[in-house]
Amino acid sequence: MTKAYLAALQTPDISDYEVQDNLTELADLARNAGLEVMDTIIQKKSQAVAATYLGLGKILEISEMLTGADEIIIFDDELSPAQQGNLSEMLDCPVIDRTQLILDIFADRARSKEGKIQVELAQLEYLLPRLSGKGKALSRLGGGIGTRGPGETQLETDRRRIRKRIADLQSEIDTVKKVRQLQRTGRQRTHAPLVALVGYTNAGKSTLLSALTGEETYTADKLFATLDPLVRRWQISKSEWVFLSDTVGFIRKLPHTLIAAFRATLEEVISADLLLHVLDAGHPQVEQQRIAVEEVLREIGCDSPIVNVYNKIDIVEDTLITSPEDLQVSALTKANLDTIGARVSKFFADLYVIRNYRIPYDQLALLTFMHEQGEVYQEKYHAHGVTVEVKLKRNAADRLVKWEYTK
Ligand SMILES: Nc1nc2c(ncn2[C@@H]2O[C@H](COP(=O)(O)OP(=O)(O)OP(=O)(O)O)[C@@H](O)[C@H]2O)c(=O)[nH]1
Ligand SMILES: [Mg+2]
């Protein structure tokens, strides 16, 4: 098993607690990538050294730890291509950063064609600037970590071929996007709302989707178990149902290349009417995780309303203090799951209104609008115009008050 050493730079704005937290998570990521974590190295410094990231003293200290066996050094922050090349040369050992580690785990987890294309795109975008002049350092990453996915041969091809591959992958993703768009349009036609489960990786999203919908999903106690989006029907009450989606989990410092590459997958989240933010209440860093997820949501341009669902309350010993709007459940023991249905049902009851309109014949575009945006219950043609009974989102209805009438 490859032995991993973890390294982090602690600048004055980062507390001891925070740096430990980040390293604990990095160790978890490393183990998820099949590495054995040996030791951690922290350097306190006002800023990173431009050429080598760490100072010379620290680099010597690390080199003394190394035994020359199958070893790798993993940095908690993204290294520049030059820093990565220099460090690897000086330590005579593969050097990767958190981004590359996450990309590697994603490559290992990707099963579907869509997942594989997106991960490969992210990996190539990451590798491209690291190819020039540092070919030697990169090809030394042989054997396992950092080489899964695009493969050794592609790493050695010139940048032009990689650019061409990136362009091909991008056009494949465009096709995926179109297919997803069609599926969404199909769903929109049913006028059932879309609720998306979002949250930190391993929070219990897939377990919750299974518990709510009764559908089997893949769940596992590992990071990024789910990569592909999944949409299922969820009957929230006898008369109401919604679409519920499960997608890839988030993490702190999620690589930008991944976020960009996973846009097609994340559309499911962006276009949702409501987000259920699943939080692992048993995790010591649950609040930091909540903030990290909210940051990623902002980054992908998602501003849908959010309901926080604190999951895993079965393993929380003390009373969990949350805001009164937040829900507390256990997907595993199914405790309090009915509170989620009740909240979602209330949300949509407040979101939609049923109204009657009288539309003159010279305003028929409004009728088209209602068919597109809402669910038309009744439509009658009279001499003066059309009367319609329709269920619409409240904000759409507000724009139509002029044509409203009470029966
Ligand atoms: N104790 C406890 N464990 C839970 C609960 N819900 C989920 N888990 C466990 O947490 C682990 C992760 O669950 P998943 O449903 O795969 O989590 P996820 O959010 O889908 O994770 P990713 O797909 O990796 O992002 C699994 O081992 C689950 O059995 C819960 O309510 N209580
Ligand atoms: Mg999952």
Side-chain angles (χ1 to χ4, degrees):
M1 198 190 261
T2 307
K3 297 181 173 20
Y5 295 85
L6 312 180
L9 184 73
Q10 185 180 5
T11 47
D13 56 317
I14 303 175
S15 67
D16 290 352
Y17 181 73
E18 207 176 326
V19 77
Q20 283 303 341
D21 250 26
N22 286 340
L23 284 174
T24 306
E25 187 170 83
L26 189 67
D28 214 12
L29 283 165
R31 279 189 289 268
N32 268 269
L35 303 168
E36 184 186 358
V37 177
M38 304 300 289
D39 216 334
T40 57
I41 303 112
I42 299 169
Q43 172 152 52
K44 292 191 179 185
K45 219 172 172 36
S46 58
Q47 64 182 65
V49 178
T52 54
Y53 193 73
L54 299 180
L56 200 54
K58 240 346 164 204
I59 297 175
L60 283 174
E61 204 179 299
I62 299 175
S63 84
E64 273 159 27
M65 284 179 168
L66 301 176
T67 62
D70 185 9
E71 292 163 319
I72 188 163
I73 323 242
I74 309 173
F75 282 76
D76 192 49
D77 271 302
E78 198 160 307
L79 297 173
S80 75
Q83 288 166 341
Q84 192 173 14
N86 292 336
L87 280 165
S88 158
E89 203 114 316
M90 291 165 85
L91 292 162
D92 196 24
C93 162
V95 169
I96 65 168
D97 58 19
R98 185 186 171 97
T99 297
Q100 204 170 348
L101 184 61
I102 293 175
L103 287 172
D104 212 79
I105 297 172
F106 267 66
D108 180 54
R109 304 282 194 258
R111 291 283 169 271
S112 71
K113 180 150 182 283
E114 173 179 350
K116 286 182 178 153
I117 305 171
Q118 295 180 124
V119 176
E120 187 181 348
L121 177 65
Q123 285 184 311
L124 292 178
E125 297 270 18
Y126 176 83
L127 281 176
L128 192 59
R130 287 166 170 77
L131 276 179
S132 65
K134 295 290 171 200
K136 194 165 140 257
L138 271 169
S139 59
R140 273 217 312 247
L141 287 181
I145 194 91
T147 57
R148 258 179 256 166
E152 196 78 17
T153 49
Q154 265 162 0
L155 296 187
E156 282 154 12
T157 48
D158 59 26
R159 309 183 75 174
R160 231 179 64 214
R161 276 185 60 191
I162 292 202
R163 284 223 181 82
K164 165 88 173 65
R165 180 77 188 136
I166 287 178
D168 290 347
L169 289 169
Q170 256 153 358
S171 74
E172 283 189 58
I173 288 181
D174 286 342
T175 314
V176 169
K177 262 194 191 146
K178 277 183 200 130
V179 173
R180 292 214 158 275
Q181 180 61 47
L182 277 177
Q183 289 170 344
R184 263 198 307 282
T185 317
R187 284 200 303 265
Q188 276 155 5
R189 241 178 249 129
T190 65
H191 294 293
L194 175 64
V195 179
L197 294 167
V198 294
Y200 215 75
T201 179
N202 214 43
K205 300 175 292 300
S206 304
T207 311
L208 192 59
L209 181 115
S210 296
L212 293 172
T213 64
E215 301 257 2
E216 282 286 308
T217 52
Y218 177 62
T219 66
D221 191 11
K222 60 183 189 184
L223 304 178
F224 307 113
T226 308
L227 283 199
D228 298 318
L230 185 81
V231 183
R232 290 288 176 266
R233 256 180 89 119
W234 171 29
Q235 196 80 35
I236 32 180
S237 70
K238 270 202 186 102
S239 57
E240 296 161 280
W241 64 275
V242 297
F243 285 110
L244 185 63
S245 83
D246 178 24
T247 52
V248 57
F250 299 163
I251 196 162
R252 262 179 285 182
K253 305 183 195 171
L254 194 62
H256 296 284
T257 49
L258 262 180
I259 297 181
F262 270 73
R263 286 235 157 235
T265 291
L266 291 170
E267 280 297 323
E268 237 57 76
V269 169
I270 301 168
S271 64
D273 299 291
L274 176 67
L275 303 180
L276 295 177
H277 182 171
V278 184
L279 295 122
D280 180 348
H283 199 285
Q285 264 72 59
V286 60
E287 281 311 297
Q288 286 88 331
Q289 296 189 342
R290 180 177 60 75
I291 293 164
V293 168
E294 288 169 357
E295 270 168 19
V296 178
L297 288 173
R298 255 195 304 280
E299 192 173 337
I300 61 174
C302 178
D303 54 5
S304 306
I306 301 178
V307 172
N308 291 330
V309 181
Y310 284 85
N311 186 35
K312 310 197 188 180
I313 51 159
D314 56 301
I315 52 167
V316 178
E317 280 170 16
D318 302 325
T319 325
L320 188 64
I321 312 286
T322 62
S323 130
E325 293 87 61
D326 298 342
L327 304 177
Q328 299 189 5
V329 306
S330 167
L332 202 67
T333 66
K334 299 193 165 39
N336 295 348
L337 286 192
D338 52 338
T339 60
I340 309 180
R343 174 64 64 84
V344 171
S345 167
K346 178 166 183 337
F347 175 84
F348 287 111
D350 293 343
L351 186 67
Y352 289 99
V353 289
I354 297 172
R355 296 271 157 86
N356 289 283
Y357 298 100
R358 183 182 286 129
I359 299 169
Y361 283 112
D362 61 353
Q363 297 284 342
L364 283 183
L366 292 173
L367 198 59
T368 316
F369 172 80
M370 288 173 190
H371 276 281
E372 275 165 11
Q373 299 289 317
E375 196 174 347
V376 174
Y377 292 147
Q378 215 181 61
E379 188 177 323
K380 280 188 189 149
Y381 288 77
H382 310 275
H384 58 271
V386 190
T387 55
V388 194
E389 185 182 0
V390 59
K391 182 172 149 188
L392 280 169
K393 278 199 183 148
R394 196 177 287 277
N395 59 358
D398 286 347
R399 282 153 57 194
L400 300 166
V401 276
K402 204 174 145 191
W403 292 278
E404 221 177 293
Y405 84 103
T406 29
K407 257 186 177 174

